């Protein structure tokens, strides 16, 4: 029997086509990518005929953080060689955050070029960090008037007899991007305005409010502190004053007019390098840790460019005056306060989204439509007030290839992002101090439809030069090798029949009773019950990403929801009511938690009545969870393995799947995972139903199959497969083999055999003669 024996050396590119054969050395054709088209990462295996046979699979991603040793002659080779021999990585997200080295420096560019060319020869591609925050001094030199400012409001009691002094200090903003580099230090301070007023329990008494800036004097001014002398409060007419000071920081203003052009030029300067694409990590306003002062209510992002954008958005309102309103409040202007906060926070999200869109578009234009845009937009890995402050909680709007998160981001957000970006899997950049934690995390992620983006051990117990390769030891790469078999057959993300749509304005408005509450307790309850649930902000309705499908059901990417829960809809726009009224005529069952009494502009609004009367109102988490469970059973929707494992970190706990169980993808693929007792994978002996058909497995670690409506096998992946049976399709092997097989677009079966050195068994040749051999990582000598 004729069959193709394909060697293991491979080249990598990102692709959106389904039938693409590329000769060695040819450039893929330009591809138009519709909004809803999937992203895929294509591994191309050279054959004896020097053809490249495409297998559209998501990559195995590892994070590579350069130190000075990588800039030594051939300093990049060691890690690339280790990756090539001992890991499954084929895409390296590469960050250079070293003091004295900017991404715009020619020596940095040249070393990245050498590394990328060397990696490409070994079937590995690199996506470097091409972020303007890695060239802050260059930006400052070119655009000194376009740096980010922090506005601080300091309230002080006035004295009736003597002047008083207000001392306002800045804080040095910093994040992971600065690394050993200079943080976002304060460069200068400026007094902008001073108000005097009387206060009531409801806020400032409006008839007493007066600007007194000209009566005040700056007595001390430095780059990080200002002392302002305020006049005495004669005749006790005003008891309080608010001093408004800005500090300019060493980082581009998010609203800087030249920021996009500066970023585009950075990306363009790397166009001569064979890169996989570009990396953008945790974008947004510069944070500070600890962040207590940042979220105290008396801090705002500011610049003249920001003020101009705010005035344009609000029909001419002045940002400084509204910052006083938002922070302190004015009696009788409660509606205006709600409105101002809603617009301010929405503007933060919209501006950051626009910058992300431009970064994504530029990477594609420079490196081609098959380029990858990585990594995660998530900074604080929980949807809380800190993340709202940094970027307006824009995770669902930050465009990426594949859904991408990090650390302990709740799993319902990961699955939702996979739907948003039409990716068959999501990636979570995970780190821990111990490799054994990765060996547990990897199986839990697989059961939730995701993969690990491997961050090296962190925080390191000791600064060892081999910290990047410590993950190659033990059983972690053995587990990854089995799990990556799923990548060959995964065409759609995890099936989540329920969505919690949280009111985005209410969740990020500090004046709201729902502030800092996106419904995570409800989402955890549903996952714990065995109901995978996507968490989506209501802003995705206005964006058009959460939409009504042709059959009237609510959809997000490929996912149609059996039930949708609107959570805390305060401050929603009218289009939210229109959306759910339209959806009430379709098959998605509607629920609500929380009242709707004001619209986005802060006006009184009977939103409860405006929503469809068919929408079921739940009083508490337990009631809603029970009602949704009953609805799914009524629709004959099977539950999945309950998410009983707890993901803890950063002060939060969320539910995530265990290391053993089963799940379904949207296209009907049944996935079984077992890594509970053996980190390299447990033996799976199972007999399960897919519709009316029974499938039987004897495998190790991973067992997955997709059937068509007639019960015919469309795809199969298994680690250590010994036996499989459904209907008259039987595989019965003498020794265990890692394999994956699928029907291509012509209906022909293709397959992968992994880590097997013997002759292909006749049983497998009877299925297809088109097998490709895939090596497994060598045992790590360390």
């Amino acid at each position: 029997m004729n069959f193709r024996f394909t060697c293991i050396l491979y080249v990598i590119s990102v692709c959106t086509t389904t039938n693409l054969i590329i000769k060695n050395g040819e450039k893929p054709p330009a591809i138009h990518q519709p909004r809803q088209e999937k992203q895929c990462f294509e591994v191309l295996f050279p054959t004896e005929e020097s053809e490249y046979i495409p297998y559209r699979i998501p990559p195995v991603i590892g994070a590579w953080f350069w130190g000075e040793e990588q800039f030594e002659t051939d300093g990049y080779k060691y890690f690339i060689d280790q990756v090539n021999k001992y890991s499954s990585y084929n895409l390296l997200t590469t960050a250079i955050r070293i003091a004295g080295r900017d991404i715009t420096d020619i020596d940095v560019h040249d070393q990245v070029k050498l590394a990328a060319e060397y990696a490409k020869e070994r079937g590995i591609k690199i996506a470097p960090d091409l972020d303007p925050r890695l060239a802050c001094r260059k930006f400052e030199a070119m655009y000194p008037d376009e740096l980010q400012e922090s506005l601080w409001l300091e309230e002080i009691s006035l004295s009736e007899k003597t002047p008083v002094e207000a001392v306002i200090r800045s804080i040095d903003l910093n994040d992971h991007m600065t690394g050993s580099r200079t943080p976002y230090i304060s460069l200068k301070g400026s007094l902008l305005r001073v108000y005097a007023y009387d206060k009531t329990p409801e806020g400032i008494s409006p008839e007493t409010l007066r600007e007194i800036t000209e009566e005040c004097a700056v007595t001390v001014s430095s780059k990080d502190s200002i002392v302002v002398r305020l006049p005495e409060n004669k005749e006790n007419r005003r008891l309080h004053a608010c001093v408004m000071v800005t500090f300019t920081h060493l980082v581009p203003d998010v609203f800087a007019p030249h920021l996009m052009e500066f970023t585009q030029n950075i990306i363009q300067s790397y166009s001569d390098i064979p890169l996989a694409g570009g990396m953008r990590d945790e974008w947004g306003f510069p944070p500070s840790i600890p962040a207590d002062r940042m979220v105290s209510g008396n801090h705002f992002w500011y610049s003249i460019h920001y003020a101009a954008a705010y005035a344009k958005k609000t029909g001419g309102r002045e940002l400084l005056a509204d910052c006083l309103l938002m922070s302190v409040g004015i009696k009788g202007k409660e509606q205006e306060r709600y409105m101002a906060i809603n617009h301010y926070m929405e503007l933060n999200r919209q501006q950051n989204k626009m910058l992300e869109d431009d970064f994504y578009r530029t990477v594609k234009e420079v490196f081609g439509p098959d380029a990858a845009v990585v990594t995660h937009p998530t900074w604080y890995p929980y949807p809380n007030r800190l993340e709202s402050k940094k970027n307006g909680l824009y995770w669902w709007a930050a465009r990426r290839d594949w859904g991408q998160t990090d650390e302990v981001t709740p799993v319902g957000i990961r699955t939702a992002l996979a739907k948003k970006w039409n990716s068959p899997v999501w990636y979570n950049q995970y780190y821990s101090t111990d490799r054994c934690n990765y060996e547990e995390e990897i199986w839990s992620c697989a059961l939730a439809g995701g993969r690990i983006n491997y961050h090296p051990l962190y925080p390191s117990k000791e600064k060892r030069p081999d910290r990047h390769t410590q993950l190659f030891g033990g059983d972690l790469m053995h587990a990854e090798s089995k799990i990556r078999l799923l990548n060959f057959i995964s065409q759609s993300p995890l099936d989540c029949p329920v969505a919690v749509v949280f009111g985005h304005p209410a969740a990020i408005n500090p004046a709201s009773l729902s502030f800092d509450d996106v419904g995570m307790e409800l989402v955890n309850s549903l996952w714990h019950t065995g109901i995978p649930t996507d968490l989506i902000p209501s802003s995705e309705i206005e964006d058009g990403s959460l939409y009504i499908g042709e059959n009237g059901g609510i959809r997000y990417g490929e996912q149609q929801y059996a039930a949708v829960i609107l959570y805390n809809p305060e401050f929603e726009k009218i289009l939210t009511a229109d959306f759910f009224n339209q959806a009430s005529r379709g098959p998605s069952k509607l629920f609500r938690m929380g009242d709707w009494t004001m619209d986005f502009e802060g006006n009184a609004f009977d939103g409860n009545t405006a929503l469809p009367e068919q929408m079921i109102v739940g009083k508490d988490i337990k009631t809603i969870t029970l009602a949704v469970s009953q609805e799914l059973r009524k629709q004959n929707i099977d539950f999945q393995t309950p998410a009983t494992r707890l993901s803890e970190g950063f002060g939060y706990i969320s539910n995530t799947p265990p290391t053993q169980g089963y799940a379904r993808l949207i296209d009907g693929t049944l996935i079984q995972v077992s890594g509970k007792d053996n980190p390299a994978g447990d033996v799976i002996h199972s007999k399960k139903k897919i519709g009316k058909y029974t499938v039987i497995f004897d495998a190790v670690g991973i067992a997955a199959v997709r059937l068509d409506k007639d019960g015919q096998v469309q795809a199969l992946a298994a680690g250590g497969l010994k036996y499989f049976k459904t209907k008259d399709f039987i595989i019965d092997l003498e020794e265990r083999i890692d394999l994956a097989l699928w029907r291509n677009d012509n209906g022909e079966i293709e397959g992968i055999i992994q880590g097997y050195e013997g002759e292909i068994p006749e049983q497998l040749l009877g299925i297809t003669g088109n097998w490709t051999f895939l090596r497994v990582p060598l045992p790590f000598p360390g």
Side-chain angles (χ1 to χ4, degrees):
M1 178 175 294
N2 294 325
F3 63 94
R4 179 179 289 118
F5 182 90
T6 309
C7 69
I8 184 55
L9 183 64
Y10 49 81
V11 183
I12 310 165
S13 65
V14 177
C15 172
T16 55
T17 62
T18 54
N19 294 300
L20 181 62
I21 296 180
I22 307 171
K23 300 290 186 181
N24 192 8
E26 285 186 354
K27 180 179 176 61
I31 304 164
H32 173 69
Q33 181 183 315
R35 177 190 179 106
Q36 294 297 327
E37 193 169 351
K38 289 188 183 74
Q39 295 294 325
C40 61
F41 201 86
E42 187 165 276
V43 175
L44 306 174
F45 298 84
T47 69
E48 292 176 354
E49 298 88 355
S50 296
E51 292 181 345
Y52 283 88
I53 308 300
Y55 298 104
R56 296 176 303 281
I57 68 168
V60 180
I61 305 178
W64 187 16
F65 299 95
W66 281 24
E68 280 298 336
E69 63 272 19
Q70 272 70 49
F71 284 93
E72 297 174 2
T73 301
D74 295 337
Y76 50 82
K77 288 185 177 180
Y78 174 76
F79 181 63
I80 293 172
D81 288 340
Q82 300 297 296
V83 167
N84 183 47
K85 294 177 183 178
Y86 306 118
S87 84
S88 301
Y89 302 169
N90 53 17
L91 175 62
L92 298 176
T93 57
T94 306
I96 303 171
R97 301 162 186 167
I98 309 171
R101 295 193 183 274
D102 285 357
I103 197 68
T104 51
D105 294 343
I106 187 63
D107 59 331
V108 173
H109 165 277
D110 291 349
Q111 197 75 349
V112 170
K113 185 174 183 177
L114 291 172
E117 291 171 345
Y118 186 79
K120 182 181 178 181
E121 294 173 356
R122 284 146 187 79
I124 302 165
K125 277 229 172 174
I126 289 174
D129 203 338
L130 301 176
D131 194 290
R133 291 171 293 181
L134 297 177
C136 287
R137 286 295 187 189
K138 302 289 195 312
F139 188 88
E140 177 198 19
M142 294 177 67
Y143 309 109
D145 297 326
E146 297 186 18
L147 300 177
Q148 185 65 62
E149 296 178 50
S150 279
L151 176 68
W152 292 95
L153 281 65
E154 185 74 21
E155 194 172 45
I156 187 170
S157 297
L158 296 176
S159 170
E160 183 178 354
K161 298 180 180 180
T162 60
V164 296
E165 287 189 337
V167 181
I168 303 96
R169 293 182 175 86
S170 178
I171 55 176
D172 282 348
L173 308 178
N174 61 84
D175 61 15
H176 68 297
M177 294 296 295
T178 58
S180 61
R181 302 163 59 87
T182 303
Y184 311 128
I185 58 174
S186 178
L187 300 174
K188 65 178 180 179
S190 302
L191 172 65
L192 294 189
R193 191 169 298 174
V194 183
Y195 287 103
Y197 47 81
D198 284 342
K199 288 183 71 174
T200 72
E202 293 80 23
I204 294 171
S205 176
E207 62 273 11
T208 68
L209 180 62
R210 183 170 69 89
E211 183 185 347
I212 61 168
T213 311
E214 294 185 357
E215 302 174 34
C216 303
V218 176
T219 59
V220 178
S221 179
S222 67
K223 63 181 182 179
D224 55 8
S225 63
I226 288 181
V227 179
V228 181
R229 176 170 293 177
L230 291 79
E232 64 271 19
N233 176 24
K234 296 178 181 178
E235 300 178 6
N236 204 28
R237 287 176 297 186
R238 293 176 177 84
L239 300 178
H240 297 87
C242 183
V243 182
M244 306 177 77
V245 168
T246 64
F247 292 97
T248 301
H249 293 270
L250 181 62
V251 63
D253 174 15
V254 168
F255 286 83
H258 290 95
L259 179 54
M260 283 188 184
E261 178 185 347
F262 186 80
T263 305
Q264 291 164 5
N265 289 337
I266 291 175
I267 298 170
Q268 183 63 45
S269 70
Y270 281 77
S271 61
D272 61 321
I273 304 177
L275 297 175
M279 174 177 159
R280 174 87 135 188
D281 191 28
E282 302 181 12
W283 177 257
F285 291 99
S288 176
I289 296 294
D292 295 346
R293 282 188 68 193
M294 300 288 288
V295 294
S296 61
N298 65 339
H299 173 270
F300 296 87
W301 300 115
Y302 185 81
S303 71
I304 58 172
H305 312 293
Y306 193 159
Y310 182 82
K312 182 178 180 180
K313 185 179 191 301
T314 57
R317 295 183 68 92
E318 201 227 7
L319 181 55
L320 276 179
D322 274 359
C323 285
L324 178 70
L325 172 65
M326 289 187 274
S327 178
V328 184
I330 300 175
K331 182 179 180 180
K333 292 190 176 184
E334 290 79 11
Q335 172 268 329
E336 286 187 48
R337 185 182 184 216
Y338 292 135
M339 176 272 298
I341 296 174
N342 286 339
H343 279 283
Y344 175 83
M345 297 303 295
E346 183 178 66
L347 184 59
N348 290 350
R349 173 174 55 83
Q350 291 173 339
Q351 181 68 12
N352 283 300
K353 175 190 183 300
M354 183 170 65
L355 294 171
E356 292 280 28
D357 285 346
D358 183 73
F359 184 88
Y360 184 94
R361 182 171 53 250
T362 304
V363 169
K364 298 292 185 180
E365 289 173 354
V366 171
F367 299 108
D370 55 343
V373 179
V374 287
T375 54
H376 49 89
T378 51
W379 167 61
Y380 205 92
Y382 199 86
N384 65 3
R385 64 186 66 196
L386 295 177
E387 203 68 10
S388 300
K389 184 79 175 183
K390 181 173 171 62
N391 51 49
L393 198 54
Y394 81 141
W395 298 346
W396 297 259
R399 192 168 185 184
R400 291 291 189 276
D401 289 322
W402 313 291
Q404 297 175 64
T405 57
D406 75 326
E407 295 162 332
V408 294
T409 303
V411 68
I413 296 172
R414 306 181 199 181
T415 56
L417 291 177
K419 316 296 170 55
K420 174 63 183 282
W421 303 121
N422 298 287
S423 53
V425 299
W426 49 259
Y427 290 91
N428 189 69
Q429 188 174 79
Y430 177 80
Y431 61 76
S432 176
T433 57
D434 197 316
R435 187 178 60 230
C436 68
N437 294 328
Y438 293 77
E439 293 171 343
E440 181 179 356
E441 184 75 12
I442 189 174
W443 296 105
S444 175
C445 287
L447 193 55
R451 307 290 183 265
I452 291 179
N453 173 350
Y454 293 92
H455 189 294
L457 295 180
Y458 181 83
S460 297
K461 295 178 181 178
E462 52 187 72
K463 291 189 176 181
R464 295 175 54 178
D466 62 344
R467 71 185 185 97
H468 280 85
T469 59
Q470 287 174 320
L471 296 183
F472 301 163
D475 290 313
L476 182 60
M477 289 299 116
H478 297 150
E480 175 60 52
S481 294
K482 288 184 173 62
I483 289 170
R484 72 173 172 179
L485 293 169
L486 295 175
N487 297 357
F488 288 90
I489 71 166
S490 294
Q491 296 181 342
S492 62
L494 188 78
D495 183 20
C496 299
V498 175
V500 171
V501 178
F502 70 89
H504 202 160
I508 62 177
N509 187 321
S512 167
L513 295 176
S514 305
F515 178 54
D516 219 23
D517 181 7
V518 299
M520 273 308 307
E521 185 180 351
L522 173 58
V523 173
N524 283 333
S525 176
L526 291 163
W527 274 89
H528 186 267
T529 306
I531 304 172
T533 300
D534 291 333
L535 180 65
I536 306 168
S538 60
S539 54
E540 290 293 273
I541 296 173
E542 185 174 10
D543 177 76
S545 298
L546 191 65
Y547 66 101
I548 309 295
E550 292 182 0
N551 71 341
I554 296 178
R555 298 182 67 92
Y556 199 50
E558 294 182 60
Q559 183 77 63
Q560 176 169 302
Y561 296 106
V564 175
I565 306 156
L566 178 61
Y567 187 84
N568 285 343
E570 194 74 293
F571 302 132
E572 284 300 304
K573 298 177 181 178
I574 307 305
L575 59 86
T576 298
D578 295 339
F579 175 84
F580 281 102
N581 276 295
Q582 182 182 352
S584 68
R585 299 188 288 271
S588 301
K589 196 72 172 180
L590 305 181
F591 299 82
R592 171 171 62 84
M593 250 191 104
D595 292 322
W596 185 1
T597 66
M598 285 179 282
D599 66 14
F600 188 79
E601 303 298 327
N603 298 310
F605 180 70
D606 187 1
N608 294 349
T609 301
L611 290 166
E613 61 181 13
Q614 301 98 315
M615 183 175 268
I616 299 171
V617 180
K619 296 181 179 180
D620 53 46
I621 303 296
K622 184 177 180 180
T623 301
I624 285 282
T625 301
L626 178 60
V628 170
S629 300
Q630 292 172 343
E631 178 60 32
L632 296 191
R633 290 191 176 94
K634 189 184 302 182
Q635 297 185 34
N636 296 316
I637 295 175
D638 293 332
F639 288 24
Q640 301 184 36
T641 297
T644 54
R645 180 172 175 259
L646 297 180
S647 177
E648 301 182 50
F650 295 83
Y652 294 93
I653 300 176
S654 61
N655 286 78
T656 190
T659 56
Q660 185 179 66
Y662 63 93
R664 289 187 310 276
L665 305 184
I666 292 174
D667 63 7
T669 302
L670 172 69
I671 293 177
Q672 299 174 76
V673 166
S674 188
K676 180 182 178 182
D677 299 317
N678 186 339
D682 304 322
V683 174
I684 297 173
H685 293 293
S686 69
K687 182 176 182 180
K688 291 192 173 295
K689 299 280 285 187
I690 300 179
K692 62 182 179 180
Y693 303 105
T694 300
V695 294
I696 301 173
F697 270 106
D698 181 352
V700 177
I702 290 292
V705 64
R706 181 168 61 251
L707 307 179
D708 66 13
K709 60 183 178 61
D710 299 318
Q712 300 299 315
V713 173
Q714 296 300 297
L716 183 148
L721 183 67
K722 186 74 167 56
Y723 182 81
F724 171 80
K725 181 180 186 301
T726 184
K727 293 182 66 177
D728 56 354
F729 189 102
I730 300 174
I731 298 176
D732 190 359
L733 301 173
E734 291 185 3
E735 57 181 304
R736 296 188 181 277
I737 296 178
D738 291 352
L739 63 81
L741 60 86
W742 60 93
R743 294 189 185 274
N744 62 26
D745 297 324
N746 298 320
E748 302 166 340
I749 294 180
E750 303 179 48
I752 289 287
I753 293 176
Q754 175 176 260
Y756 183 74
E757 298 180 356
E759 295 289 330
I760 298 178
E762 285 297 324
Q763 269 203 27
L764 299 183
L765 291 176
I767 296 172
T768 180
N770 190 6
W771 290 98
T772 296
F773 282 81
L774 184 62
R775 71 168 175 84
V776 294
L778 297 173
F780 187 61

